[in-house]
Amino acid sequence: VVEVSSLKGATKAFDGASLACFFRVRERVGRGREQYLTFDTSVQTVVQRPSGVIHFSLSFPQNLRSAQLRRSVRVKVDARKVPELTVWPDFSGRQDMAKLKPLFSPEQMKEKLYKVDNFSANGVRLLVNAGLMREAMPQPLKGERFAMNFRAVAAPGTPPAIFWVQAALRNIFYDPQISETALGFEFVAEGFTDEDLGMVWKPLKFDEVSGLGKFVFKWNLDLYREKGMG
């Protein structure tokens, strides 16, 4: 039996409907690593409790599968989910951020000179206007590292989470038809501000940025819902 909080009412029309279910399990030992699982099932009965809560009784699943590893899940995002992302040349230690000029700034993002195309828990793909590329990164080199700061929003109306990451440029593709360059970055470290040392980079745990996986998973579920699965 599962509780369906997104529904305010339900009818017998749901009986027999096929569903794909996704859920997350957090390990209690070690570092609390999370696993994402999925299974296919069907609705047996629908009950609306006196409190108004909807319960679906589901057929027992025949198999349980691992959902795509967050490392490989690439989710399309827009400004609602990632309202701000800034890119600087790689740096560490104490910095005067007011004097550290970004390569790609939030203002340029608002002007649509670049945008975030997709996200994973260990990487991001940016689409950059040709003019901005010539100005900010005229000769991009694979493997070159950059510092990034971005804000991630799980749901409308919720406060954004702020992330600092060190990212290595892995892929470069220029599309002359639309005068746009796609840049694929891999996150290789996450940043923490130390009172004495300034910006400190630490290698990723489990090949992903701490806390980012839950955003990617939520965004992925949102895409399924927008396509009519929920």
Side-chain angles (χ1 to χ4, degrees):
V1 178
V2 297
E3 179 181 310
V4 187
S5 58
S6 60
L7 293 179
K8 299 187 182 301
T11 68
K12 294 295 182 182
F14 283 95
D15 289 357
S18 297
L19 298 178
C21 299
F22 297 81
F23 65 99
R24 179 178 58 191
V25 176
R26 180 188 291 272
E27 296 176 358
R28 291 187 177 183
V29 296
R31 297 175 177 174
R33 187 175 185 179
E34 297 172 335
Q35 296 183 53
Y36 292 81
L37 303 167
T38 180
F39 62 88
D40 297 322
T41 183
S42 61
V43 179
Q44 291 184 321
T45 58
V46 179
V47 177
Q48 184 163 7
R49 302 299 180 188
S51 62
V53 174
I54 306 296
H55 282 174
F56 280 7
S57 293
L58 306 177
S59 300
F60 193 82
Q62 297 302 306
N63 57 70
L64 190 62
R65 305 184 305 277
S66 173
Q68 281 184 292
L69 293 174
R70 282 170 292 168
R71 181 176 175 84
S72 62
V73 172
R74 292 278 173 178
V75 183
K76 286 280 185 179
V77 298
D78 54 29
R80 296 172 299 172
K81 294 177 172 59
V82 184
E84 189 174 297
L85 184 147
T86 310
V87 182
W88 291 268
D90 190 24
F91 69 85
S92 61
R94 299 182 66 85
Q95 301 287 336
D96 183 348
M97 298 304 295
K99 296 181 179 179
L100 195 63
K101 183 180 178 181
L103 298 172
F104 305 144
S105 69
E107 292 73 27
Q108 292 167 329
M109 189 173 175
K110 289 178 182 177
E111 294 170 4
K112 299 183 178 180
L113 295 178
Y114 76 96
K115 67 178 181 179
V116 182
D117 182 42
N118 62 46
F119 242 96
S120 75
N122 79 325
V124 64
R125 185 172 188 256
L126 304 181
L127 301 179
V128 186
N129 171 275
L132 179 57
M133 275 297 295
R134 285 193 295 269
E135 175 188 333
M137 205 182 292
Q139 295 180 312
L141 298 174
K142 288 184 180 181
E144 188 175 0
R145 294 193 175 192
F146 301 86
M148 288 188 186
N149 172 262
F150 60 87
R151 299 173 184 268
V153 178
T158 60
I162 300 174
F163 295 89
W164 280 96
V165 298
Q166 188 180 53
L169 182 60
R170 298 302 188 204
N171 296 295
I172 307 163
F173 176 76
Y174 174 66
D175 188 338
Q177 294 186 332
I178 56 175
S179 295
E180 191 173 70
T181 299
L183 301 175
F185 294 90
E186 178 188 5
F187 301 148
V188 294
E190 51 192 322
F192 301 90
T193 303
D194 182 274
E195 203 169 298
D196 298 320
L197 302 176
M199 181 60 65
V200 177
W201 301 109
K202 294 186 178 180
L204 300 187
K205 298 176 182 177
F206 306 117
D207 295 322
E208 62 190 29
V209 176
S210 301
L212 182 57
K214 62 184 179 182
F215 286 89
V216 174
F217 188 72
K218 174 65 166 57
W219 296 336
N220 203 27
L221 289 183
D222 288 343
L223 287 179
Y224 275 99
R225 293 190 181 106
E226 290 172 6
K227 292 176 182 177
M229 290 185 64

